Amino acid sequence: MTPEQSVRAELEAWSTLDVEQIVAPFAPDAVWVAQSTVTLRGIEEIRVAVTDWVARITFAELRLVNIATNGDVVLTERVDAFTFTDGKKIELPVMGAFEVADGKITGWRDYYDPGAHG
């Protein structure tokens, strides 16, 4: 898989709400900066966080607006849309930076304004 294909697989996996499919594109030692104050290290921490997140939502769509690849780095502009179990919906504009090695995501950092969701 190319770096871009790996990132696209990750973004598309969220719509399945299947934890194993969501974590599959990650390398065992991946680091995911999911929020400015939350850094997940390793596939097990990532799996626990994804499990918790998926348990709180009924819908997820990470809509790709733009994507750029430079070697093993993939930058994404997205709109992340979620519906929570209580019926609340959010759509959040996000910029993401992914690092990929041997077809697996080794790093993921998202940048967004948490006050920007609707």
Side-chain angles (χ1 to χ4, degrees):
M1 254 189 193
T2 68
E4 183 174 323
Q5 289 170 327
S6 297
V7 170
R8 284 179 182 274
E10 173 60 24
L11 300 179
E12 291 167 6
W14 279 89
S15 66
T16 70
L17 300 181
D18 180 306
V19 172
E20 291 310 310
Q21 192 170 342
I22 294 168
V23 301
F26 285 97
D29 60 348
V31 176
W32 181 13
V33 180
Q35 301 170 12
S36 60
T37 59
V38 178
T39 300
L40 305 167
R41 298 181 188 284
I43 195 78
E44 290 312 314
E45 279 189 24
I46 292 168
R47 181 177 283 107
V48 168
V50 169
T51 299
D52 178 58
W53 188 255
V54 166
R56 296 184 291 131
I57 60 175
T58 61
F59 172 84
E61 181 180 38
L62 281 61
R63 292 191 303 265
L64 195 57
V65 177
N66 287 298
I67 191 165
T69 304
N70 184 8
D72 291 336
V73 176
V74 180
L75 304 177
T76 61
E77 178 185 12
R78 313 185 312 267
V79 176
D80 291 1
F82 299 99
T83 302
F84 293 86
T85 54
D86 65 2
K88 180 182 175 186
K89 296 179 180 185
I90 64 168
E91 288 198 5
L92 186 64
V94 180
M95 292 294 296
F98 295 81
E99 296 166 4
V100 181
D102 299 322
K104 293 290 189 178
I105 296 168
T106 58
W108 180 0
R109 294 174 307 283
D110 276 341
Y111 303 95
Y112 59 91
D113 176 359
H117 62 84

